[in-house]
Amino acid sequence: MDATLVIWNKHMTKFLRSTEELLGLMLQSVLWVVLFGVGMRGMIGEVDGSDYMSYILPGIIALSALGGAVGGGMVLLDERLRGILKEYLAAPIPRLSILLGSATSTATKALIQALIMLVVGVLMGARLAPNPFGWLASLLLLAVFAVGFSGMALAVAAVSRSIAGYHGMIFLFNLPLLFASNALYPLAVLPGWMLTIVLLNPTTYLIDAVRGLAFGAPFTLPLPLSVAVVALFAVACTWLALSVFRRSIRG
Amino acid sequence: MTDLAIVARGLRKHYGLVIAVDGIDLAVPRGTIYALLGPNGAGKTTTINMLTTLASPTAGEAAVCGYDVVRQADRVRACIGVTFQDIVLDSDLTGREVLDIHGRLYRQPAALRRQRIAELVDLVQLGEAIDRRVRTYSGGMKRRLELARGLMTDPQVLFLDEPTQGLDPQNRVGIWSYIRALNRERGLTLLLTTHYMDEAEALASRVGIVDRGRLVAEGAPGDLVATLGADVIRVRGSGNQAHFVSQVAALPFVARVETDVEAAMVLVYVDSGSRRLVEVVGLAGGNGFVVEDVTVARPSLGDVFLHHTGRALRD
Ligand SMILES: Nc1ncnc2c1ncn2[C@@H]1O[C@H](COP(=O)(O)OP(=O)(O)OP(=O)(O)O)[C@@H](O)[C@H]1O
Ligand SMILES: [Mg+2]
């Protein structure tokens, strides 16, 4: 447990110190909301009774959580490729704490990015539901989801041979997770085959839940189901990261 | 606990079809500086990786500080310090943070960490630079910081994988003097690897010569060299080398003749180089072997390597 905290702390120190990464993160959030949200709003107006900004903000937030997770995975990849992992491996600490330290720092970064996005979105005119418990529940759900994303990014980071390879693999997940979901369009307008794919995507459940909880949109999927899917996603990805990581450090 | 800091029996490591370490036996008494000397790819790093629990042996066993490296890996980890072959540092952290984080990983209390850092900054002479980002350090400063990190937890055994690789002569001698001081003043056991024979000669009380995953010779550097003969006459030339070799070998005072094919060199081990020089070189004339260059010297560990492997060890 101690070692997990030490590694988390070190990753956060490095993160807060890398001005480029921080700046890029902020700008990315703002650009997404401004370019995408504002542009589309001019064209679309309202979906399911919400204004389009409120409608797509949960999707953009989920996407930015993924961006944060990708950045967090990079830290593990970087430490692996540069050999810094060996310092941990030679220390009398549980192997698990190395992964947990990386996972918690990754999820923290993903959550920070999601929060920035939320604030920018609200400033740009997204309307939050009046119930603060809904906000809190959304954040909690986002955190769980971020853990899942982190697990995925860390699993990829544990096996990638290069930074380019890592980004290639991540891109492969990234695109369908956003576009094969209800992030940009409501489930009702999708043709049957696409609906099937979208319903297999855990992002869909997160977005539906966050829309309902934080922005007061009607739930199109049962909330307990959404919560269960998101939790399952997090557990499955963490397990994946763990088994891949275990294998990767076996010298 | 035994008085052996490091023991290995039949240690092997295979990577697929590659045999990186092919059965190595070690017995390193406490308080020794032991050097593994060998060319690139000999298996030095792989041996260190197994002894420091980073790699698991394919076969054989090893114990460090009296603990088995596989079954009691955490005990081993707690009693050793390591520096790796390549520089392994977070360039965004300051030197102090690097040491502090290392201490925290080993659960050292804050007061102890502060005290250790102060002592180590003194030892490796990092001075003010300790509070600068590592990215602003020179190669020599990075190596010194890594040495300090390896010592942070006051280990009983310190492993150094090529501690002076890439350093200029001044920095090399600096690192040597820290290593000697640690050994002399604290009785620290050190196992280091190197492919510089002068480094092994200058530092080690025992040397193990590694080639292709095997320990081909072992002993005190002086003893290893002494078995070859008192002096070596190195004759470089072109022409009928074989004939020259057979003629020289027949001389009564010649202990051994070896050839370094790549360098077109014949090495003649004799009881006294200056007295026998003329006679040895004289045999070359008229036999189709033209002498280009002759030197007389004490044999070195490089000659020991050539003797045991038939190949020269080049830096
Ligand atoms: N992870 C690995 N996978 C496959 N082969 C490996 C691995 N690590 C080492 N080897 C091989 O094992 C052999 C020994 O390598 P090792 O790094 O131990 O040599 P070394 O003596 O440290 O060499 P150098 O002086 O270049 O550092 C080499 O042939 C190397 O290619
Ligand atoms: Mg090596």
Side-chain angles (χ1 to χ4, degrees):
Chain A
M1 197 57 216
D2 273 4
T4 304
L5 199 68
V6 174
I7 294 171
W8 175 82
N9 192 293
K10 171 180 161 182
H11 286 172
M12 294 317 289
T13 307
K14 287 205 287 188
F15 174 65
L16 294 176
R17 207 163 270 179
S18 58
T19 27
E20 287 159 39
E21 197 181 339
L22 278 177
L23 207 72
L25 220 141
M26 300 266 198
L27 275 179
Q28 219 184 350
S29 311
V30 175
L31 281 178
W32 262 100
V33 176
V34 172
L35 294 182
F36 215 77
V38 176
M40 295 288 255
R41 179 166 56 185
M43 194 171 75
I44 292 174
E46 280 205 349
V47 184
D48 286 350
S50 320
D51 65 293
Y52 196 62
M53 180 61 87
S54 312
Y55 187 77
I56 65 161
L57 198 56
I60 296 181
I61 291 173
L63 179 79
S64 61
L66 178 63
V70 172
M74 270 297 295
V75 174
L76 179 69
L77 181 67
D78 181 61
E79 294 195 337
R80 223 189 87 224
L81 293 180
R82 288 201 294 144
I84 291 172
L85 216 55
K86 287 190 280 188
E87 184 194 345
Y88 307 146
L89 292 174
I93 58 174
R95 314 289 92 173
L96 182 61
S97 69
I98 303 168
L99 186 73
L100 284 183
S102 305
T104 46
S105 70
T106 302
T108 309
K109 289 176 203 175
L111 209 57
I112 290 176
Q113 179 141 11
L115 271 174
I116 297 175
M117 203 74 111
L118 190 65
V119 171
V120 175
V122 169
L123 288 179
M124 294 302 297
R127 277 191 299 275
L128 284 171
N131 181 2
F133 287 109
W135 310 348
L136 220 67
S138 295
L139 281 182
L140 213 68
L141 218 53
L142 257 168
V144 176
F145 199 66
V147 169
F149 267 162
S150 309
M152 212 147 74
L154 291 172
V156 176
V159 292
S160 296
R161 282 165 201 277
S162 68
I163 289 174
Y166 172 75
H167 280 297
M169 287 258 267
I170 289 290
F171 190 68
L172 219 63
F173 291 118
N174 198 337
L175 217 60
L177 275 175
L178 178 71
F179 286 103
S181 79
N182 56 349
L184 306 173
Y185 16 76
L187 292 176
V189 306
L190 297 174
W193 62 271
M194 179 129 176
L195 189 63
T196 317
I197 298 176
V198 167
L199 285 179
L200 286 174
N201 182 353
T203 320
T204 300
Y205 297 85
L206 171 81
I207 291 174
D208 197 71
V210 172
R211 257 184 206 142
L213 289 168
F215 295 95
F219 293 100
T220 49
L221 296 161
L223 183 60
L225 175 69
S226 298
V227 173
V229 169
V230 170
L232 200 70
F233 172 68
V235 171
C237 287
T238 306
W239 177 83
L240 177 76
L242 200 68
S243 57
V244 171
F245 180 74
R246 280 244 171 82
R247 193 157 341 136
S248 77
I249 59 168
R250 197 177 300 151
Chain B
M1 202 168 120
T2 64
D3 50 353
L4 288 176
I6 304 168
V7 192
R9 257 175 255 110
L11 207 55
R12 307 176 70 87
K13 181 71 185 178
H14 300 189
Y15 290 108
L17 289 177
V18 179
I19 300 176
V21 173
D22 191 9
I24 278 186
D25 298 308
L26 287 173
V28 181
R30 288 148 152 289
T32 312
I33 302 183
Y34 189 102
L36 284 174
L37 174 69
N40 289 131
K44 306 181 295 293
T45 298
T46 309
T47 303
I48 285 210
N49 282 349
M50 288 190 281
L51 295 175
T52 56
T53 77
L54 295 188
S56 49
T58 308
E61 51 184 15
V64 176
C65 311
Y67 302 116
D68 186 279
V69 295
V70 176
R71 288 188 305 274
Q72 297 167 297
D74 259 346
R75 292 270 179 99
V76 173
R77 288 173 189 139
C79 89
I80 62 172
V82 194
T83 74
F84 306 100
Q85 177 165 353
D86 24 52
I87 289 175
V88 169
L89 288 168
D90 267 303
S91 47
D92 282 333
L93 301 175
T94 66
R96 186 182 300 281
E97 286 168 334
V98 166
L99 298 181
D100 193 61
I101 288 171
H102 192 75
R104 280 165 59 201
L105 278 178
Y106 288 70
R107 294 166 182 263
Q108 288 181 314
L112 177 61
R113 296 200 304 268
R114 258 196 308 280
Q115 179 208 333
R116 288 294 296 159
I117 291 173
E119 289 167 9
L120 289 167
V121 170
D122 238 25
L123 174 76
V124 300
Q125 296 172 314
L126 274 172
E128 307 276 283
I130 194 68
D131 287 309
R132 290 199 338 233
R133 301 272 172 95
V134 172
R135 68 167 73 257
T136 67
Y137 283 24
S138 70
M141 291 161 81
K142 285 182 187 164
R143 282 280 179 212
R144 269 141 58 201
L145 178 61
E146 288 200 314
L147 188 61
R149 183 178 62 190
L151 291 166
M152 182 71 191
T153 53
D154 204 5
Q156 296 173 37
V157 182
L158 183 62
F159 292 88
L160 306 172
D161 198 355
E162 310 219 3
T164 64
Q165 177 172 286
L167 297 188
D168 65 19
Q170 201 182 338
N171 269 300
R172 278 182 81 196
V173 173
I175 297 264
W176 289 359
S177 75
Y178 307 141
I179 292 177
R180 284 204 203 90
L182 288 165
N183 174 254
R184 196 177 49 238
E185 285 155 24
R186 304 204 14 249
L188 185 67
T189 310
L190 287 114
L191 185 141
L192 58 96
T193 73
T194 180
H195 52 251
Y196 302 116
M197 15 190 193
D198 59 337
E199 185 158 291
E201 247 160 15
L203 283 178
S205 46
R206 283 186 87 73
V207 177
I209 296 184
V210 200
D211 185 44
R212 296 180 179 162
R214 297 184 147 273
L215 211 55
V216 294
E218 197 198 55
D223 295 347
L224 283 173
V225 168
T227 57
L228 291 180
D231 282 328
V232 57
I233 304 175
R234 295 192 180 87
V235 186
R236 193 164 58 79
S238 53
N240 190 349
Q241 205 184 47
H243 184 69
F244 175 64
V245 168
S246 66
Q247 290 236 303
V248 170
L251 292 171
F253 52 79
V254 170
R256 173 184 292 115
V257 184
E258 275 163 15
T259 53
D260 176 351
V261 183
E262 266 175 77
M265 188 101 81
V266 178
L267 290 83
V268 187
Y269 294 96
V270 295
D271 49 359
S272 163
S274 48
R275 259 197 308 141
R276 310 298 190 186
L277 178 64
V278 175
E279 235 176 304
V280 169
V281 174
L283 280 177
N287 280 322
F289 185 75
V290 183
V291 175
E292 286 160 7
D293 186 40
V294 182
T295 54
V296 179
R298 316 265 312 150
S300 70
L301 282 175
D303 299 318
V304 176
F305 186 84
L306 178 71
H307 170 63
H308 286 281
T309 66
R311 285 172 297 116
L313 175 65
R314 304 194 201 285
D315 291 343

